Amino acid sequence: MVDAFKSTKIPRLRFGSEDVDRLSNLPEPIIHHIFSFLGTIDVVRASAVSRKWRYFWLSIPYLNFNIHNIWSNPQEKWSLEKINEKFKDFVNWVLLSQNGSINIHRFLLSCFNCVDDYTLYRWLSAVAQRKVQVLDLDIISEEPIKLPRCLVTCESLVSLKLDFGKKVYRQGVLELPTCAGFTRLKFLDLQKVELLDSNLFRKFISSCPLLENLNMVACFFRDFKILDISATSLKHLTIDDVGFCEPKGLANCEVKLACPNLLSLKFSGSAELEFSFEGLKSLKKAYIYLDIDGDDDVCYGVSKIFNGVRNAEVLKLNMVVSWV
């Protein structure tokens, strides 16, 4: 890996008779910020470029691991199993080598999760111990993903994004925790996630006391009769049921919103859904995208939506009629 950088040099600027390495001389927090836009594997590679950067990756609080960026010899053809093993070795090496006393500001992970492989949960335990603040998981899993207790009770976590949907355009299953937690969580983004228990989901959302932003994109609410979102702290809600995943997430499901401090609502989905709005008196902006089957009478449903968002100062409505 180092050989690829033997001829690479840091660009230098000449001021008078002096050569100045402007980038290496920047304050460490600024270099951290610049490197935060790179994958961790590229940050490690940069250690071969400058002596000052040799151990820099050991202290950077931004970690970005993507299995698609794992280094390989272009002359070799690696199997998926070999790529996965090398990826796990690299992540383990970085987490074990870094200074464990340095808190992790952001941890991005894109990988596979195989049956009976607990590597993912060991990584989550490690970042929870290092007081991770932002966690972004893009996982293709052969089995349901559980949120471990160490993560649920992590008091530093303020932002959580879960994307489980790159396997044949279907959602991946998320098993919600039964214990209370996420006491500091403010931002929750669920994309292509399959949820199994409506009561557990309701309790999960209502038990996050500081949750302000909730995004749900192309999720599947299996056997849900009611999607109940009751959260007094929630300010911004997005429900996007117009995606490529099948089955459609909100089929045969009533959407119930009880969020007295909600400021903005974005909804995309079928106009045939049943809606129940309770006390959206703080609503400022509502963006509604409705997919209408031309053969159905949806006037009653649309009128209920209008009545529910009547307090909004800004209302944007887009209706697409499909004729079979």
Side-chain angles (χ1 to χ4, degrees):
M1 182 161 54
V2 174
D3 293 341
F5 294 92
K6 282 184 176 179
S7 61
T8 305
K9 295 182 179 180
I10 292 289
R12 294 179 178 271
L13 298 178
R14 183 178 294 275
F15 290 86
S17 59
E18 297 182 359
D19 284 338
V20 180
D21 181 355
R22 299 296 299 275
L23 184 57
S24 294
N25 289 330
L26 289 173
E28 187 173 279
I30 295 180
I31 300 179
H32 278 165
H33 179 71
I34 294 173
F35 276 20
S36 70
F37 297 97
L38 301 178
T40 300
I41 195 166
D42 294 316
V43 176
V44 173
R45 287 167 175 164
S47 65
V49 176
S50 169
R51 290 183 179 179
K52 292 184 178 181
W53 294 356
R54 183 170 299 174
Y55 304 107
F56 183 77
W57 62 275
L58 293 172
S59 62
I60 189 168
Y62 304 94
L63 297 177
N64 183 355
F65 298 103
N66 190 327
I67 194 169
H68 303 292
N69 296 337
I70 189 67
W71 180 86
S72 63
N73 187 335
Q75 302 301 320
E76 298 179 1
K77 292 185 178 179
W78 288 354
S79 66
L80 186 59
E81 286 187 8
K82 185 173 183 179
I83 291 175
N84 197 35
E85 288 303 316
K86 284 188 173 291
F87 177 76
K88 290 193 293 184
D89 289 343
F90 176 70
V91 177
N92 288 332
W93 175 64
V94 171
L95 291 178
L96 289 172
S97 301
Q98 276 202 320
N99 185 345
S101 65
I102 296 177
N103 295 340
I104 296 178
H105 292 178
R106 188 180 69 227
F107 186 82
L108 280 66
L109 177 67
S110 178
C111 69
F112 303 116
N113 182 56
C114 301
V115 176
D116 295 329
D117 186 347
Y118 299 98
T119 304
L120 172 63
Y121 299 104
R122 288 196 293 270
W123 293 341
L124 295 179
S125 176
V127 299
Q129 291 178 17
R130 292 179 56 186
K131 299 180 181 180
V132 62
Q133 297 178 23
V134 178
L135 182 61
D136 187 334
L137 301 179
D138 185 350
I139 310 293
I140 298 176
S141 181
E142 298 177 356
E143 61 181 2
I145 297 291
K146 301 178 182 179
L147 294 178
R149 185 179 182 87
C150 62
L151 189 63
V152 175
T153 58
C154 180
E155 295 185 353
S156 60
L157 189 65
V158 296
S159 176
L160 176 62
K161 179 181 178 182
L162 303 175
D163 187 341
F164 293 167
K166 290 189 170 57
K167 186 176 181 180
V168 198
Y169 297 104
R170 292 187 67 87
Q171 300 91 341
V173 176
L174 172 66
E175 293 189 4
L176 293 172
T178 55
C179 61
F182 293 120
T183 57
R184 301 292 180 87
L185 192 68
K186 292 185 176 181
F187 183 93
L188 177 61
D189 189 347
L190 303 178
Q191 299 194 19
K192 306 179 188 71
V193 170
E194 179 177 346
L195 299 162
L196 305 178
D197 190 319
S198 59
N199 289 326
L200 198 56
F201 178 76
R202 175 180 55 80
K203 293 178 181 178
F204 170 68
I205 295 299
S206 61
S207 66
C208 298
L210 301 182
L211 187 64
E212 296 181 355
N213 294 269
L214 175 60
N215 295 334
M216 296 184 293
V217 179
C219 293
F220 179 40
F221 305 92
R222 180 177 293 277
D223 298 328
F224 276 43
K225 298 301 181 182
I226 299 177
L227 174 61
D228 188 344
I229 301 176
S230 302
T232 57
S233 61
L234 197 64
K235 295 181 179 179
H236 308 283
L237 172 63
T238 297
I239 303 176
D240 188 347
D241 196 41
V242 180
F244 297 105
C245 287
E246 293 293 342
K248 293 298 183 183
L250 290 172
N252 303 315
C253 179
E254 177 185 351
V255 179
K256 178 182 177 181
L257 304 182
C259 309
N261 293 305
L262 194 67
L263 298 178
S264 68
L265 170 65
K266 297 180 180 179
F267 173 80
S268 301
S270 173
E272 301 176 30
L273 294 174
E274 287 288 331
F275 289 89
S276 174
F277 300 97
E278 296 182 10
L280 302 186
K281 296 181 180 180
S282 300
L283 193 64
K284 301 296 183 182
K285 299 178 181 179
Y287 305 93
I288 310 296
Y289 176 98
L290 297 177
D291 189 5
I292 300 175
D293 189 332
D295 295 330
D296 293 332
D297 183 5
V298 296
C299 293
Y300 175 72
V302 173
S303 65
K304 285 191 67 176
I305 295 175
F306 283 165
N307 185 56
V309 299
R310 64 185 181 277
N311 292 318
E313 297 176 3
V314 177
L315 173 61
K316 292 186 178 181
L317 177 65
N318 187 3
M319 294 190 293
V320 176
V321 181
S322 302
W323 298 93
V324 180

